[in-house]
Amino acid sequence: MDCCKEASSSSWIYPTVILCANGFFATMRPSEAFLTPYLTGPDKNLTIEEVTNKIFPVWTYSYLVLLFPVFLITDYVRYKPVIILQGISFLTTWLLLLFARGVVPMQLMEFCYGLVTATEVAYYAYIYSVVSTEHYQRVTGYCRSITLVAATVAAVLGQLLVSLAHVSYFYLNAITLASLALAFACSLFLPMPQKSMFFHRKEAADNGPAPHRARATLGPQEPRGHREDTEPPSEDTTPRHEQPPGWSQSRPRALRVLVQLSKDLRECYSSRKLLYWSLWWALATAGFNQVVNYIQVLWDFRAPSHSAAVYNGAVEAIATFLGSATSMAVGYIKLNWDFSGELVLGIFSAMDAGSLFLMHFTTNIWACYAGYLVFKACYMFLITIATFQIAVNLSMERYALMFGFNNFVALVIQTILTVVVVDSIGLGLDISTQFLIYGSYFTVIAGIFLIRSIYTITSTKRRTTSVAGASTDH
């Protein structure tokens, strides 16, 4: 019996199936597209101002505070305990959402959800510590696809239950809670990894020889993960005469890891190409998260849920499908991204800005829905390109590090936007004016990269002309 259990746990199929089941049930949340109507409806009886200016900002602040320590703790405890913690946080979030009332309990609910999002790194990093390198591409596809399928199924199911079966938002949240309970149960059956990306790399390296460099080339949507047979940290592979005697013994392991992480970051951002792609990533992701966080409030403002039909679930399902389609389309586009990348970033960021201006100026809910679809499709298209451009020339460890740091910078920017624009301690603007600000924000992003693209194209043409002239002279 024990032999069979050990064989199933060591196989790549067993942990992949369990993790995908966990990901499916954790993402299958049919009530999420109807959060704002639920909070402002008779179940919670909160005002739009309380939801927008007092409750939703707590998620941003808690996510920022928790992201970095959770990132390090996740690696130190080797993923599984954090996946279980995420399940507990999910259940706590939805229990509060179902049975608590008032502003303060809803703020606590948002804090718990901040912990949920901070622990998402464990889901994507876990699988790379328990499967061999030849299965990375396959399991990446499975783990990504299952969450997209679950998000689409959840949005469609939620819309059908609300529109056709007239199920109340309370029971929709109860269905979500049941799904999250199944996700938590699945997490308990995950095998415990024996290694991790940063704190437990030496043990992994001792199991076999490592290649000179392992490249993060699994595709444009590749998550933060771990190469099973990657090169040990540089402090372990540097020749002995380059390290002070007793360096590794004299410093705590955690300090050595942090020092190495800071060195890796400096080297990554010393590349101008990676710096510009990372700059767009951080700026655009901050704006995207802000829009997604408050889009339901805008929809409820344009067509109040107590007096109009709500199609949030259908719109989210279409948006997820369009985002997936545009992401897949990137793989079939043949462009010199070094030459044209900044121009593409500028053009599609301008389209994002235009869609946000449309959502601000229109009073028609269908135009507002259409603007959101364009906005999300453009962002997903660009973030896929940015992910691939950053990942293609980096080891898995450095890619994960840049991924996490870029998202951290994005969260800092988003927090600034929240404090200044949304929170009642700042300007506390109404939701329509907020989207005017977000449109202006993406206009600035578009301007930065359009100007950069003009400079890049002009410089390239000038160099080409100089080379051609020199060749003619010879």
Side-chain angles (χ1 to χ4, degrees):
M1 185 72 176
D2 291 337
C3 294
C4 293
K5 184 176 180 181
E6 183 177 347
S8 66
S9 297
S10 61
S11 167
W12 71 273
I13 298 176
Y14 174 77
T16 302
V17 169
I18 299 297
L19 189 68
C20 285
N22 170 267
F24 179 85
F25 289 118
T27 311
M28 226 288 289
R29 306 191 293 266
S31 64
E32 196 161 54
F34 304 92
L35 176 60
T36 297
Y38 174 67
L39 293 176
T40 58
D43 291 290
K44 300 302 175 186
N45 203 29
L46 298 166
T47 66
I48 280 287
E49 290 73 21
E50 287 173 331
V51 171
T52 306
N53 304 127
K54 295 182 179 180
I55 296 174
F56 282 175
V58 175
W59 171 79
T60 305
Y61 305 148
S62 60
Y63 189 14
L64 176 65
V65 171
L66 295 169
L67 181 61
F68 183 70
V70 167
F71 178 79
L72 294 180
I73 292 171
T74 297
D75 190 87
Y76 186 77
V77 301
R78 293 176 299 199
Y79 313 121
K80 180 181 176 178
V82 176
I83 296 176
I84 294 174
L85 174 63
Q86 184 187 46
I88 295 171
S89 302
F90 258 135
L91 294 174
T92 305
T93 299
W94 255 265
L95 285 171
L96 287 169
L97 197 56
L98 279 166
F99 302 112
R101 293 177 67 91
V103 172
V104 174
M106 291 301 100
Q107 289 175 329
L108 179 59
M109 177 271 295
E110 287 289 333
F111 176 84
C112 292
Y113 192 67
L115 181 57
V116 167
T117 50
T119 53
E120 280 180 352
V121 60
Y123 173 79
Y124 291 112
Y126 169 87
I127 199 66
Y128 299 97
S129 64
V130 294
V131 303
S132 56
T133 53
E134 64 264 24
H135 299 302
Y136 280 177
Q137 187 164 353
R138 184 180 297 182
V139 298
T140 298
Y142 292 157
C143 292
R144 283 287 182 182
S145 299
I146 201 69
T147 55
L148 291 173
V149 169
T152 305
V153 170
V156 172
L157 177 63
Q159 188 64 61
L160 292 175
L161 289 174
V162 168
S163 298
L164 301 181
H166 304 291
V167 172
S168 70
Y169 297 136
F170 179 87
Y171 289 109
L172 212 58
N173 280 290
I175 294 171
T176 297
L177 180 63
S179 179
L180 295 174
L182 289 173
F184 175 70
C186 289
S187 69
L188 300 176
F189 293 94
L190 289 169
M192 184 67 183
Q194 298 304 309
K195 59 184 180 296
S196 66
M197 194 179 304
F198 300 112
F199 285 97
H200 303 283
R201 295 169 70 185
K202 186 175 182 180
E203 292 89 335
D206 290 341
N207 293 334
H212 178 62
R213 294 296 284 171
R215 298 292 179 184
T217 56
L218 299 185
Q221 287 276 5
E222 183 181 37
R224 284 169 280 188
H226 172 73
R227 286 283 184 189
E228 181 172 310
D229 297 316
T230 49
E231 188 179 24
S234 59
E235 65 262 32
D236 294 331
T237 56
T238 304
R240 286 290 176 188
H241 67 272
E242 293 185 12
Q243 289 185 3
W247 188 88
S248 59
Q249 289 79 17
S250 63
R251 296 194 182 192
R253 184 174 182 82
L255 179 59
R256 284 186 281 126
V257 170
L258 290 174
V259 169
Q260 187 59 39
L261 291 179
S262 65
K263 289 179 179 178
D264 286 347
L265 274 178
R266 283 199 302 270
E267 289 184 22
C268 289
Y269 289 109
S270 64
S271 165
R272 182 170 295 184
K273 173 188 172 182
L274 294 183
L275 180 61
Y276 284 123
W277 283 103
S278 296
L279 175 64
W280 179 87
W281 182 323
L283 290 172
T285 299
F288 175 79
N289 288 341
Q290 196 73 354
V291 169
V292 170
N293 205 27
Y294 294 94
I295 188 63
Q296 289 187 32
V297 180
L298 181 67
W299 291 341
D300 202 75
F301 177 75
R302 296 294 182 220
S305 54
H306 60 81
S307 61
V310 178
Y311 296 100
N312 296 8
V315 174
E316 287 292 356
I318 296 170
T320 301
F321 174 78
L322 289 177
S324 303
T326 55
S327 297
M328 291 178 62
V330 171
Y332 299 94
I333 297 175
K334 305 300 180 183
L335 273 180
N336 181 352
W337 294 110
D338 291 338
F339 182 74
S340 306
E342 290 167 349
L343 179 62
V344 172
L345 291 176
I347 292 172
F348 281 89
S349 296
M351 292 176 63
D352 275 338
S355 64
L356 291 169
F357 284 134
L358 172 65
M359 286 187 267
H360 165 72
F361 288 109
T362 187
T363 57
N364 185 291
I365 186 62
W366 296 104
C368 202
Y369 284 151
Y372 177 70
L373 295 177
V374 172
F375 173 80
K376 191 167 184 177
C378 289
Y379 172 81
M380 294 304 295
F381 176 73
L382 293 179
I383 196 66
T384 304
I385 298 170
T387 301
F388 177 73
Q389 289 300 308
I390 291 173
V392 70
N393 292 316
L394 293 176
S395 67
M396 184 65 78
E397 289 85 356
R398 287 192 172 183
Y399 168 66
L401 187 60
M402 287 195 72
F403 190 106
F405 190 77
N406 287 346
N407 283 334
F408 178 76
V409 173
L411 196 51
V412 171
I413 298 170
Q414 185 186 353
T415 301
I416 295 171
L417 283 172
T418 301
V419 171
V420 174
V421 177
V422 181
D423 203 305
S424 54
I425 66 174
L427 297 176
L429 299 175
D430 64 89
I431 190 63
S432 180
T433 307
Q434 286 181 36
F435 273 74
L436 177 63
I437 300 297
Y438 303 150
S440 304
Y441 175 81
F442 272 90
T443 300
V444 172
I445 296 175
I448 291 172
F449 286 93
L450 286 173
I451 292 171
R452 272 290 309 167
S453 68
I454 293 171
Y455 173 78
T456 300
I457 292 171
T458 304
S459 299
T460 302
K461 287 183 177 179
R462 190 180 297 121
R463 285 195 299 269
T464 303
T465 304
S466 298
V467 170
S471 300
T472 303
D473 292 339
H474 285 297

